[in-house]
């Protein structure tokens, strides 16, 4: 069973890395980019096939390690 | 219009950051994690509503700036 966790900065948190990418895209000629935000994608390969267990554990994994709940949001999806 | 770009390391490329996360999850008691891979999630806010233009430009943005095509794969989705 696989899971994907998407970690993004909260809206109110500044993203200087995203700003740098937006400016670089403009320099490369891609003018139509208003805003860029950079997040993380964590792909997990889980042993076992207990979807309920995975659904219970993933929020804990996010809040304990994968995301910083002060400045980041995390959402996940489970792929059978 | 918004777009999301998912940048992941190619399968054959080692991911020491992912390995460190896997070990840390084990230390925290999450035993059922076989493998972890860390990628990037780039969220773009695009001006205009020309989906065809976005579909044409996004692969170029990926290969020129957002991903390193030697070691990374990139895929994108456009959200109206």
């Amino acid at each position: 069973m696989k899971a994907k966790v998407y970690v993004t900065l909260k809206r109110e948190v500044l993203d200087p890395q995203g700003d740098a990418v937006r400016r670089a895209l403009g320099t490369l000629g891609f003018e139509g980019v208003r805003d860029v935000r950079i997040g993380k994608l964590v792909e997990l390969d889980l042993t076992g096939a207990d979807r309920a267990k995975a659904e219970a554990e993933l929020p804990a994994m996010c809040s304990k390690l994968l995301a910083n709940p002060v400045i980041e949001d995390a959402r996940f999806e489970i792929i059978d």
Side-chain angles (χ1 to χ4, degrees), chain A:
Chain A
M1 197 165 49
K2 293 184 186 291
K4 291 187 183 187
V5 178
Y6 305 93
V7 180
T8 51
L9 281 174
K10 288 182 192 286
R11 277 292 130 201
E12 60 272 24
V13 177
L14 289 175
D15 183 0
Q17 190 186 5
D19 284 344
V21 169
R22 181 182 52 73
R23 283 196 299 274
L25 286 171
T27 307
L28 288 170
F30 301 108
E31 302 291 349
V33 182
R34 189 187 291 128
D35 190 30
V36 178
R37 308 278 290 179
I38 311 282
K40 278 179 292 183
L41 165 61
V42 184
E43 294 175 312
L44 300 150
D45 186 3
L46 304 171
T47 59
D50 188 344
R51 194 185 177 94
K53 179 166 173 274
E55 277 175 0
E57 285 190 349
L58 277 161
M61 289 186 200
C62 291
S63 63
K64 287 186 181 173
L65 185 75
L66 302 179
N68 176 351
V70 176
I71 58 167
E72 291 172 328
D73 291 319
R75 66 183 185 81
F76 64 85
E77 62 181 355
I78 296 169
I79 301 130
D80 290 318

